[in-house]
Amino acid sequence: MLKPTPTPTRELVNLDGVWRFGIDSRLASEPWTGILDTPLEAAVPASYNDQFTDAEIRDHVGWVYYQREVRVPRGWSEERILLRFDAATHAARVYVDDELVGEHVGGYTPFDLDITDRVHAGDAFRLTVAVSGDLSNETIPPGKIEVGMDGRRKQVYFHDFFNYAGLARSVWLHSVPRVSIDDVTVVTAFEGTTGSVEYSVETSAPTTVRVRLADAAGRVVAEASGASGVLSIADVVLWKPGAAYLYELTVEAVDGDVVVDSYPLAVGVRTVEVKGHEFLINGEPFYFTGFGKHEDSVIRGKGHDDAYMVHDFQLMEWTGANSFRTSHYPYAEEVLDFADRHGIVVIDETAAVGLNMGVVGGMTGKPPFPTFSDQYANDNTQAAHAQHIRELITRDKNHPSVVMWCIANEPASNEDGALEYFKPLVDLARELDPTRPLTYALVMFATFQNDQLIDLFDVVSMNRYYGWYIATGDLQTAEMYLQGDIAGWIERTGKPIMMTEYGADTQPGLHSVWDQAWTEEYQVDYLAMNHRVFDRFPQFVGEQVWNFADFATSNGIHRVDGNKKGVFTRDRKPKAAAFALRKRWTGLEGRKPGTPADEN
């Protein structure tokens, strides 16, 4: 699915702004007929939860409704007319005037709806969007709804971030020619100084296709005809971490001498490979430094914000980070576009977080019932998970910044049934994209002794909290635990090992001369302990701290105003750990950790 963009043959109208808004419990049974009878309005893009002071809205279970008037441009009479939703969390029903025109399930990937036959150029229509944030054991991410003693429905979910819902990303009206370019896939490679771009184009109807590739200065360096082929680039400039270089591929659908559709695609020429215990980008060993992140900010919730995006990337650059993981869902496309342009490496993750009854059972790791069972992760859950993988890879396959797919965060990979659940999903991901390595983030209960999935994957990605959830405040014991854990994975797998989560909750401004949990000093010492261990293993290929910034979570006595593991506060103020990471990561540039010059 191509991202809408203005071209000589395509136009788009942004529908962001303030929409009428209501929740189902306060509206008529069919609120999409006529104008919503509500005094409320909500901003788009943004999660709706924190925009209001009403607790019933913030914690609503059920459907909410957005509505606005949309006018179709007069010049679109000969075009196909589509609605594009960059995301609707977690399910959507879309109505044009009084008619249902489409539905989508999955809160972090886009969908298009063709409304050509229902609207007219120059006329206006009433657009109503119903959005549900409800989660069940057959959704991704999973959850359940409980009914309390007072009859109120309550959403329970099994991931540690607030279940923000609504239209958190942009909405568009866009035009597409009757004969159009529907999809483009590129795969890049190079040999010596010669680069190659293998391309494949899908069109809505049989037509002639031609392509041309231009360098950053706009000079055409290769061109060809046909819906598939390979473009050769002499003296290629590679896309590299920290040194992004993008070509532009222009794809045209042609009828005789007339261009009926045109679409541009940014292309970065680079390769990714796992070889032995090394992770290679362009044939050179790469060491990940960076963060697990969240799309999370005050008031907006998970609403995309360009200003926050720019500032977050600036802060990552300031720390010396070269990468991040899209924990725990696909981020807005604008984020990946930005990473492409600025040479930041991305581990791209599905929304499959919470597939673990052991976590529900607490730190004992003993599930109340098997994770992979009819009661929880069943065949319908697996089908929803597969659809998430399809939509993620279809959307993000052409981004050079994306170097690895993470298809789940902390699943119960130590439980029986895990292999049967994940094997078809791994096969699907490799079929959709055979060029990128696969990983999953390992929960602490899944050890090198009991994990049942690692043989299916390319990189061992560990989430470990020794010194926080285990051996809290005892970094000497924590160091021994971590040392043995990493050594065990190396001996078992012979694969690259990286840490995708390690961190300690920290209250800014809290200090102590002792190893006292929650202090800024403890967070610094905790990270330093981890780094000492990482540097002992040449098989180790990366470290991504949990988390970039503090973020909102569900209500719980173990969280005070959210998760405080950020090295930045929720409003992006640095804690002491941010300065410690800056010293380490800027010192790692150009060399592998573990050399005598390292000061942890």
Side-chain angles (χ1 to χ4, degrees):
M1 179 185 296
L2 298 177
K3 179 182 178 182
T5 189
T7 78
T9 59
R10 298 173 178 228
E11 295 180 337
L12 66 159
V13 176
N14 182 262
L15 301 182
D16 293 352
V18 178
W19 297 42
R20 287 186 292 274
F21 179 84
I23 61 176
D24 58 5
S25 57
R26 299 179 183 176
L27 296 168
S29 58
E30 293 186 351
W32 57 90
T33 58
I35 297 174
L36 285 183
D37 184 15
T38 173
L40 300 177
E41 295 180 298
V44 175
S47 305
Y48 66 79
N49 309 78
D50 290 353
Q51 294 187 51
F52 304 95
T53 58
D54 189 333
E56 185 180 353
I57 297 176
R58 186 174 197 266
D59 299 322
H60 182 65
V61 178
W63 293 89
V64 303
Y65 291 87
Y66 294 82
Q67 189 179 83
R68 61 162 291 166
E69 182 180 272
V70 179
R71 184 168 295 277
V72 182
R74 290 184 299 170
W76 289 11
S77 59
E78 300 301 319
E79 307 296 305
R80 289 167 52 217
I81 300 168
L82 293 89
L83 284 166
R84 164 79 167 212
F85 296 85
D86 286 349
T89 309
H90 294 279
R93 298 170 182 162
V94 181
Y95 303 85
V96 168
D97 293 325
D98 297 339
E99 185 176 2
L100 177 67
V101 297
E103 302 179 66
H104 181 262
V105 176
Y108 303 101
T109 45
F111 60 99
D112 276 345
L113 298 174
D114 192 327
I115 59 172
T116 306
D117 297 335
R118 296 177 173 88
V119 299
H120 302 282
D123 289 349
F125 65 92
R126 186 177 64 255
L127 173 61
T128 307
V129 185
V131 182
S132 171
D134 295 3
L135 299 173
S136 74
N137 68 301
E138 296 182 352
T139 63
I140 297 293
K144 65 177 180 178
I145 295 174
E146 295 179 343
V147 179
M149 295 175 64
D150 58 0
R152 287 185 301 127
R153 301 169 74 228
K154 180 182 179 181
Q155 177 71 69
V156 178
Y157 44 98
F158 309 122
H159 52 265
D160 186 29
F161 54 96
F162 191 83
N163 188 44
Y164 283 114
L167 295 177
R169 298 178 189 162
S170 289
V171 183
W172 308 86
L173 186 73
H174 65 111
S175 69
V176 176
R178 298 283 178 169
V179 176
S180 63
I181 299 160
D182 284 355
D183 197 17
V184 182
T185 303
V186 296
V187 176
T188 65
F190 69 94
E191 186 171 346
T193 61
T194 301
S196 65
V197 177
E198 182 182 354
Y199 70 91
S200 176
V201 179
E202 296 178 15
T203 57
S204 62
T207 188
T208 301
V209 173
R210 65 188 185 196
V211 301
R212 62 180 180 274
L213 190 72
D215 63 16
R219 295 183 293 264
V220 175
V221 297
E223 51 191 335
S225 296
S228 61
V230 179
L231 299 174
S232 181
I233 311 167
D235 299 319
V236 66
V237 181
L238 299 179
W239 187 96
K240 297 180 180 180
Y245 188 93
L246 295 175
Y247 293 87
E248 183 170 271
L249 180 70
T250 300
V251 182
E252 295 177 331
V254 182
D255 183 3
D257 294 328
V258 177
V259 176
V260 296
D261 194 16
S262 175
Y263 191 86
L265 180 70
V267 175
V269 179
R270 63 101 183 96
T271 60
V272 178
E273 180 186 8
V274 167
K275 189 174 182 179
H277 63 257
E278 292 184 315
F279 193 99
L280 305 176
I281 298 179
N282 298 333
E284 299 179 357
F286 179 73
Y287 189 87
F288 295 82
T289 59
F291 302 95
K293 288 182 88 274
H294 267 296
E295 291 182 313
D296 176 274
S297 61
V298 175
I299 300 174
R300 285 182 175 273
K302 295 205 173 304
H304 175 70
D305 184 301
D306 284 341
Y308 262 105
M309 175 185 71
V310 170
H311 189 56
D312 283 358
F313 272 80
Q314 283 286 296
L315 291 176
M316 284 192 288
E317 180 181 343
W318 178 84
T319 63
N322 60 25
S323 65
F324 64 91
R325 176 170 60 120
T326 71
S327 46
H328 301 294
Y329 38 82
Y331 289 179
E333 288 176 274
E334 291 86 348
V335 175
L336 297 183
D337 291 339
F338 200 91
D340 290 344
R341 296 195 299 271
H342 292 270
I344 300 298
V345 170
V346 178
I347 300 173
D348 208 356
E349 186 166 279
T350 73
V353 54
L355 292 171
N356 198 319
M357 281 288 102
V359 173
V360 177
M363 291 309 295
T364 63
K366 297 178 181 178
F369 48 77
T371 297
F372 304 100
S373 61
D374 289 339
Q375 301 102 305
Y376 196 56
N378 57 32
D379 290 346
N380 292 334
T381 316
Q382 185 189 56
H385 195 163
Q387 185 60 24
H388 276 255
I389 291 172
R390 289 188 193 95
E391 293 186 3
L392 170 68
I393 294 178
T394 298
R395 193 196 74 168
D396 294 345
K397 62 189 174 184
N398 294 324
H399 287 284
S401 60
V402 175
V403 301
M404 184 158 56
W405 306 114
C406 182
I407 70 170
N409 179 74
E410 297 190 350
S413 58
N414 54 303
E415 288 190 37
D416 291 342
L419 185 63
E420 292 77 8
Y421 179 93
F422 274 96
K423 178 63 164 62
L425 300 178
V426 170
D427 291 344
L428 173 64
R430 294 201 187 279
E431 177 186 350
L432 292 169
D433 179 15
T435 71
R436 289 178 177 87
L438 296 181
T439 193
Y440 62 108
L442 280 150
V443 71
M444 289 191 71
F445 311 140
T447 70
F448 60 87
Q449 297 168 315
N450 65 17
D451 179 83
Q452 301 186 27
L453 296 182
I454 196 60
D455 292 344
L456 300 177
F457 292 83
D458 304 299
V459 175
V460 180
S461 297
M462 302 172 64
N463 292 1
R464 294 295 188 264
Y465 292 93
Y466 299 116
W468 188 250
Y469 294 121
I470 295 175
T472 308
D474 183 355
L475 293 178
Q476 186 173 349
T477 298
E479 186 167 346
M480 291 187 288
Y481 276 132
L482 181 59
Q483 172 91 16
D485 199 346
I486 294 174
W489 283 106
I490 290 172
E491 181 178 358
R492 174 178 168 178
T493 68
K495 298 180 179 185
I497 313 287
M498 70 177 295
M499 193 70 75
T500 38
E501 288 186 25
Y502 64 113
D505 282 277
T506 303
Q507 180 64 32
L510 185 63
H511 300 283
S512 176
V513 297
W514 301 290
D515 279 338
Q516 180 177 323
W518 289 89
T519 63
E520 292 196 45
E521 289 78 13
Y522 187 75
Q523 188 180 35
V524 171
D525 292 345
Y526 169 94
L527 294 175
M529 178 276 292
N530 277 267
H531 298 154
R532 284 195 300 273
V533 177
F534 301 166
D535 292 350
R536 294 169 189 154
F537 296 100
Q539 301 89 342
F540 213 76
V541 299
E543 54 198 63
Q544 292 185 333
V545 173
W546 189 261
N547 190 283
F548 171 74
D550 297 344
F551 56 91
T553 61
S554 61
N555 294 327
I557 58 173
H558 65 301
R559 297 288 181 227
V560 181
D561 192 33
N563 191 305
K564 295 296 184 69
K565 292 188 180 69
V567 302
F568 296 95
T569 62
R570 199 179 186 205
D571 60 352
R572 278 45 175 187
K573 299 297 189 299
K575 302 176 188 177
F579 295 93
L581 287 173
R582 173 178 164 84
K583 181 179 180 181
R584 171 176 171 81
W585 288 345
T586 55
L588 291 182
E589 293 177 359
R591 59 189 179 81
K592 182 78 174 175
T595 65
D598 284 336
E599 294 290 342
N600 295 324

